[in-house]
Amino acid sequence: MGEKVYVSGAFSSIASEPVAYFAALNPLTGAALPGWDLDISNTVNAIDVNPVTEQIYLVGRFNNVGGQRRNRIADVESSGSLSAIQANFDV
């Protein structure tokens, strides 16, 4: 976990890297880490990281992540890939 800083917001790029709504950054340089463009369809309002497994949980106004249907919640692997776990919330 100390090797990355996770951020969310209303952005479509970070330092010319195309990444939207959520990114993993290098904590020393602030540069977006490659391979972390999850193609999220809307804002991410909350990020939580499991300190044991390093799974990343995203909650927000999105309904697609990485081309997969994810209503309002997504589980992301510590490598930056979308988890197979699919929990959808309709509000």
Side-chain angles (χ1 to χ4, degrees), residues 29-49:
T29 65
L33 296 176
W36 279 83
D37 183 8
L38 294 172
D39 191 25
I40 298 174
S41 63
N42 208 329
T43 54
V44 173
N45 299 105
I47 304 167
D48 192 29
V49 179

Side-chain angles (χ1 to χ4, degrees), residues 4 10 18 26 28 33-35 40-41 49 51-53 56 59-62 69 75-76 89-90:
K4 301 175 193 89
N26 178 310
L28 299 176
L33 296 176
I40 298 174
S41 63
V49 179
V52 176
T53 65
I56 304 139
V59 177
R61 298 182 52 92
F62 53 84
R69 186 81 172 158
D75 182 7
V76 178
F89 290 99
D90 290 317

Side-chain angles (χ1 to χ4, degrees), residues 50-67:
N50 182 317
V52 176
T53 65
E54 296 188 18
Q55 288 290 107
I56 304 139
Y57 305 100
L58 307 177
V59 177
R61 298 182 52 92
F62 53 84
N63 55 24
N64 283 288
V65 177

